[in-house]
Amino acid sequence: MCSPLEVFSDQSERLHYNAADFPLYIQQDKLARYGYAAACHWHIDLEFILILDGAMNYFINGKIIHIAAHHGIFVNSRRLHYGFSSDRKNCSFIAVVIHPELLCEHSQAVKTYWNEKFGLDTNDFILLSLKNTWQKKVLLLINRMNEEKLITTSNPLRLLSQAACLCATIGDHLYHVSKQRKDNHLQMIMWKMTGFIYRHYDTKITLDDIAAAGAVCRSRCCELFKKYLRQTPNAFLTKYRIAKSCQELRETKRSISEIAISCGFQSSSYFSHVFRHEIGFTPRNYRKRTVA
């Protein structure tokens, strides 16, 4: 039988780690680069966010949490989440994302601890404040990990120990939440449907396709998206496609037409229309503003 670490590992959003053989992601970034709203996603990794300046709202499994400057948040494994700014104000932040394989690959004891502490029946998130002693240590450690990553001769063992310290500290403060996961089965359906979108956003997808991925009818599919994501399946698909197109505009030199097709849009004109509606700029202007 697969462990919880393995279940759905091929259905979550795939992250681009800093090194392919070292599944740790550390990035200092600005919310404006994502059109002031990241795509809603989930992964088996643990996620830590530190706000450097500005502020950000964070959606986590249906709840919206406000994070002020110099504060942060921990997001547990396999929770649907994303950061955003409703009033389109920019925000600088550091993100640290840790895959379980970084720490669990060769130790059954660590796997057992990970599954117990970072499972579905523990806290979805922890808001991190400088006013709390142990939380302040976590925020400072996030900052140190970012500084370490920026050093050309970065020590992977130091980053590994810092990642382990982050997970161990958070683990000490995660608790089982009674009755939190009565709807585990419905959450699994959501993972399957969103996972289907993550893998096939670049092709033509219908509502029937999304519903079939979760083995539910169209109406049930729409009900679940409204309950867990506060949006329709088609809106989720569109936002995810736009988020992936933003990534391509920032990181590649592909033409607008090529990016439109690669992200599932039928024409560059329709892509530009939707992009401007979602982001506030044309794809071309977005690229100019975000690529130095």
Side-chain angles (χ1 to χ4, degrees), residues 152-184:
T152 304
T153 56
S154 177
N155 185 335
L157 291 180
R158 183 174 294 111
L159 283 174
L160 182 63
S161 67
Q162 290 170 336
C165 185
L166 268 184
C167 296
T169 303
I170 283 292
D172 286 340
H173 299 276
L174 287 174
Y175 304 98
H176 288 269
V177 180
S178 61
K179 300 181 181 179
Q180 177 169 305
R181 289 293 174 264
K182 276 189 173 181
D183 56 350
N184 271 359

Side-chain angles (χ1 to χ4, degrees), residues 37-41 56-60 80-84 229 231:
C40 186
H41 60 284
M56 187 191 301
N57 289 326
Y58 232 75
F59 174 98
I60 306 170
L80 288 159
H81 64 280
Y82 67 97
F84 68 97
L229 297 179
Q231 56 188 295

Side-chain angles (χ1 to χ4, degrees), residues 15-258:
L15 302 177
H16 297 288
Y17 301 103
N18 296 82
D21 61 346
F22 196 73
L24 174 67
Y25 175 87
I26 307 171
Q27 181 68 38
Q28 183 171 329
D29 217 333
K30 292 182 180 292
L31 192 58
R33 292 202 331 127
Y34 302 87
Y36 303 100
C40 186
H41 60 284
W42 67 271
H43 41 65
I44 65 174
D45 313 68
L46 305 182
E47 185 166 316
F48 298 82
I49 298 291
L50 166 62
I51 306 299
L52 298 175
D53 61 66
M56 187 191 301
N57 289 326
Y58 232 75
F59 174 98
I60 306 170
N61 270 6
K63 298 179 181 178
I64 296 179
I65 314 300
H66 182 75
I67 317 172
H70 312 301
H71 290 64
I73 197 164
F74 158 76
V75 182
N76 213 337
S77 174
R78 291 180 290 172
R79 271 61 171 186
L80 288 159
H81 64 280
Y82 67 97
F84 68 97
S85 170
S86 299
D87 52 6
R88 291 180 175 268
K89 290 185 178 179
N90 206 1
C91 165
S92 298
F93 63 93
I94 298 171
V96 174
V97 183
I98 303 169
H99 193 283
E101 287 182 357
L102 185 69
L103 305 173
C104 303
E105 187 173 5
H106 302 296
S107 171
Q108 185 58 47
V110 177
K111 282 184 180 180
T112 300
Y113 178 83
W114 187 285
N115 293 335
E116 176 186 348
K117 285 294 184 176
F118 306 118
L120 294 179
D121 57 352
T122 57
N123 310 79
D124 285 340
F125 66 91
I126 296 178
L127 194 60
L128 303 170
S129 170
L130 291 172
K131 296 179 181 179
N132 180 289
T133 301
W134 75 264
Q135 293 176 9
K136 181 178 180 179
K137 291 179 180 178
V138 169
L139 294 171
L140 292 174
L141 185 53
I142 294 171
N143 196 55
R144 285 201 298 272
M145 291 180 72
N146 184 57
E147 292 173 350
E148 178 69 28
K149 183 212 70 171
L150 296 174
I151 299 173
T152 304
T153 56
S154 177
N155 185 335
L157 291 180
R158 183 174 294 111
L159 283 174
L160 182 63
S161 67
Q162 290 170 336
C165 185
L166 268 184
C167 296
T169 303
I170 283 292
D172 286 340
H173 299 276
L174 287 174
Y175 304 98
H176 288 269
V177 180
S178 61
K179 300 181 181 179
Q180 177 169 305
R181 289 293 174 264
K182 276 189 173 181
D183 56 350
N184 271 359
H185 177 65
L186 298 182
Q187 294 254 17
M188 291 172 67
I189 292 173
M190 285 302 302
W191 294 335
K192 291 177 179 179
M193 292 191 295
T194 54
F196 175 82
I197 290 173
Y198 298 153
R199 296 192 307 278
H200 301 288
Y201 71 91
D202 56 341
T203 65
K204 184 178 180 179
I205 298 177
T206 67
L207 178 57
D208 286 329
D209 295 329
I210 298 170
V216 295
C217 66
R218 289 161 53 104
S219 61
R220 186 58 166 158
C221 171
C222 293
E223 288 174 6
L224 291 175
F225 268 82
K226 183 177 180 180
K227 175 180 179 180
Y228 287 103
L229 297 179
R230 303 185 182 184
Q231 56 188 295
T232 66
N234 285 333
F236 178 90
L237 172 60
T238 297
K239 290 179 183 297
Y240 192 75
R241 283 172 167 166
I242 290 295
K244 300 304 287 188
S245 71
C246 285
Q247 182 179 335
E248 291 212 32
L249 287 165
R250 295 192 307 267
E251 300 176 3
T252 76
K253 294 183 178 180
R254 302 176 76 180
S255 70
I256 304 300
S257 296
E258 289 175 322

